[in-house]
Amino acid sequence: MSKAISTILGGALLLTSVASAAQAGGLERNGYNWDLLFDEQRFASEAGVIYVMPDRKIKNAVDTNPLDGLGANGIGGGSTSTSETPDYAVPRTGVKVGLTPDADCLASYSQPWGVHTDPGADWVGANQNIETEIKSNDYGLTCSYKFDVSKGQLRAIGGVSYQEVSGFKNRLVVGPAAFGPAAALFDGQGKLDLDADGVGWRIGAAYEIPEIAFRASLIYNAEIDLGQINGTVDLTGLPPMTSGPLAPFANRITDVYGTATMPQSVEFKIQTGIAPDWLAFGSVKWVDWSVLKVVSFCPTSTKGIVACGPTSPVLLTTLDLMFQDGWTVAAGIGHKFNDQWSGSAQVSWDRGTSTGLTTQTDTYLLSGGVSYTPSKNVELRVGGAVGMLTAGSYGPTPCPKTGGCGNDVTYDFGDDFVSALSISGKVRF
């Protein structure tokens, strides 16, 4: 591959990463990215960070069960509108080594999954969510082997990942007004903390014709079974109770467990030189987010005695997601301006994964970036993106849980703005 095409490609790969982080369907934070594996140099290392600024705003909130919140339509306290999504940063790094002329391996670290919503405790939907955050760490090893086929090379790809997932959800469980004189001592909030890990694998193939910068790749990432999720439910914000379903757990911290699987995915990418100093690229990705419906948590003391699920008689709390599968489609073009500078632009669409219990609707994004290569061994990339988070609503949604889902509050959200900035660097030799 010529130095010109290699420089253009650097900017193109930056846009793929920044778009993935800014669109973030389901629990996706930056997904998986194995592009460094294809670097032509025997050794290549890369590190970068993407800073995303979503501006999702909730409006027209109505507490449909005022007894466990702040009062419908703000009556009794609480705002009917709030800002939901804080800014976040997504780091990534990787090191690729050519073991032989045909065999390459990539060691990588990323944060593929994550979400952070923080509408606060002063809105009428505090009984649905005060703050929720999910984090992940993925430590991957991906290798490939090339074979000469016709005018190009066929590359077989495989790898494994060890993944950690942790997080919490804090919400209002009982309105403090129900505590009478004890209201000054207890805030009525409850908090779920969780922690889990698992191992996954990937397999794929790519066909390359280096002379024209053509590459078509297809990679399947298997689901990651997190096994038993361990956690706690903290209800010390409630006073001791003598009756009611929460009586055994009020004013104490209870060990809980659950199960969940992180989704499988398939991604197809294609690129090709289309004219001197010009490159076209595109991708299609499917993520099986529908594997996450209702994640149930039950007291650990009941394990092996009563099954834990959304209709279990010992169910203590749940994470209600009810995601649908995600699709992301992107296309772009890159151009070399001179021996050091190139630029790229990309448009992308992400189908929202929400079926009524999150604000993750369709996202449209325009990304742009530049790549600077002062020498054959160093490359610097800067990029950004602007886009639209489309409108929708939250409310009652069919689900397998006893009592249903989304019955705590209803609200709307309009077409909102999202932006992102990215910087990364690569050293190779």
Side-chain angles (χ1 to χ4, degrees):
M1 186 187 301
S2 70
K3 180 176 182 293
I5 291 295
S6 179
T7 302
I8 299 170
L9 183 59
L13 298 182
L14 170 75
L15 299 192
T16 301
S17 295
V18 72
S20 177
Q23 289 178 300
L27 300 180
E28 187 157 350
R29 185 51 62 90
N30 196 24
Y32 299 117
N33 191 330
W34 320 116
D35 291 315
L36 186 61
L37 182 67
F38 297 100
D39 194 279
E40 288 188 321
Q41 298 300 316
R42 182 174 182 182
F43 175 88
S45 63
E46 183 180 32
V49 63
I50 303 167
Y51 190 75
V52 183
M53 295 159 282
D55 191 25
R56 179 62 91 190
K57 292 183 173 65
I58 291 171
K59 59 183 180 180
N60 305 325
V62 176
D63 185 353
T64 52
N65 184 6
L67 295 179
D68 64 359
L70 295 174
N73 296 311
I75 299 172
S79 172
T80 59
S81 62
T82 185
S83 179
E84 184 193 41
T85 48
D87 300 347
Y88 59 88
V90 186
R92 71 185 189 280
T93 187
V95 176
K96 175 258 181 180
V97 177
L99 305 178
T100 72
D102 298 316
D104 301 290
C105 281
L106 166 67
S108 60
Y109 167 77
S110 64
Q111 296 179 355
W113 320 125
V115 67
H116 189 193
T117 59
D118 187 14
D122 296 325
W123 72 301
V124 299
N127 54 334
Q128 184 258 331
N129 184 30
I130 292 176
E131 184 178 11
T132 299
E133 185 170 19
I134 301 293
K135 297 180 179 180
S136 67
N137 296 298
D138 186 279
Y139 307 90
L141 179 64
T142 308
C143 296
S144 69
Y145 192 84
K146 293 181 289 188
F147 307 86
D148 290 332
V149 176
S150 185
K151 297 181 179 180
Q153 297 174 322
L154 181 66
R155 187 188 295 250
I157 302 169
V160 295
S161 279
Y162 169 69
Q163 201 164 103
E164 300 170 331
V165 178
S166 61
F168 69 88
K169 179 172 183 175
N170 186 29
R171 71 178 186 89
L172 188 65
V173 178
V174 179
F179 302 151
L185 302 176
F186 301 97
D187 59 15
Q189 296 182 16
K191 184 179 182 181
L192 166 68
D193 283 287
L194 60 90
D195 184 78
D197 58 13
V199 176
W201 53 272
R202 69 194 60 90
I203 191 170
Y207 183 68
E208 303 165 273
I209 306 177
E211 289 76 11
I212 60 172
F214 176 84
R215 180 194 305 142
S217 64
L218 182 68
I219 297 182
Y220 167 76
N221 291 284
E223 63 183 23
I224 295 182
D225 185 354
L226 297 179
Q228 178 173 309
I229 305 175
N230 296 310
T232 60
V233 170
D234 184 344
L235 294 180
T236 55
L238 278 63
M241 298 179 181
T242 57
S243 62
L246 293 179
F249 313 105
N251 202 234
R252 58 174 291 189
I253 298 175
T254 302
D255 292 330
V256 296
Y257 77 101
T259 58
T261 299
M262 302 311 293
Q264 60 184 333
S265 65
V266 179
E267 185 168 21
F268 173 74
K269 291 184 176 182
I270 190 168
Q271 65 176 57
T272 186
I274 54 175
D277 299 334
W278 288 91
L279 180 78
F281 54 93
S283 63
V284 178
K285 179 171 66 174
W286 166 78
V287 184
D288 185 22
W289 284 115
S290 60
V291 73
L292 288 173
K293 298 293 189 182
V294 174
V295 184
S296 305
F297 293 92
C298 299
T300 304
S301 59
T302 66
K303 185 181 179 184
I305 302 174
V306 181
C308 186
T311 60
S312 174
V314 296
L315 181 68
L316 182 50
T317 191
T318 60
L319 289 177
D320 300 337
L321 302 172
M322 295 302 297
F323 288 142
Q324 65 178 348
D325 290 353
W327 285 91
T328 304
V329 180
I333 194 167
H335 177 59
K336 174 201 170 187
F337 301 113
N338 55 46
D339 288 341
Q340 285 78 41
W341 292 93
S342 71
S344 302
Q346 174 181 283
V347 292
S348 54
W349 163 77
D350 182 88
R351 187 184 82 157
T353 55
S354 175
T355 59
L357 296 179
T358 72
T359 60
Q360 292 161 340
T361 50
D362 288 14
T363 303
Y364 297 88
L365 208 67
L366 173 64
S367 312
V370 294
S371 176
Y372 175 59
T373 309
S375 71
K376 66 178 182 179
N377 298 327
V378 177
E379 182 177 354
L380 302 174
R381 308 169 188 168
V382 178
V386 293
M388 180 179 70
L389 310 170
T390 58
S393 61
Y394 173 99
T397 301
C399 78
K401 189 174 75 170
T402 301
C405 296
N407 299 321
D408 37 21
V409 65
T410 64
Y411 55 81
D412 302 316
F413 44 91
D415 294 331
D416 292 320
F417 181 73
V418 60
S419 59
L421 298 172
S422 176
I423 184 170
S424 67
K426 177 187 284 189
V427 176
R428 53 192 171 190
F429 52 84

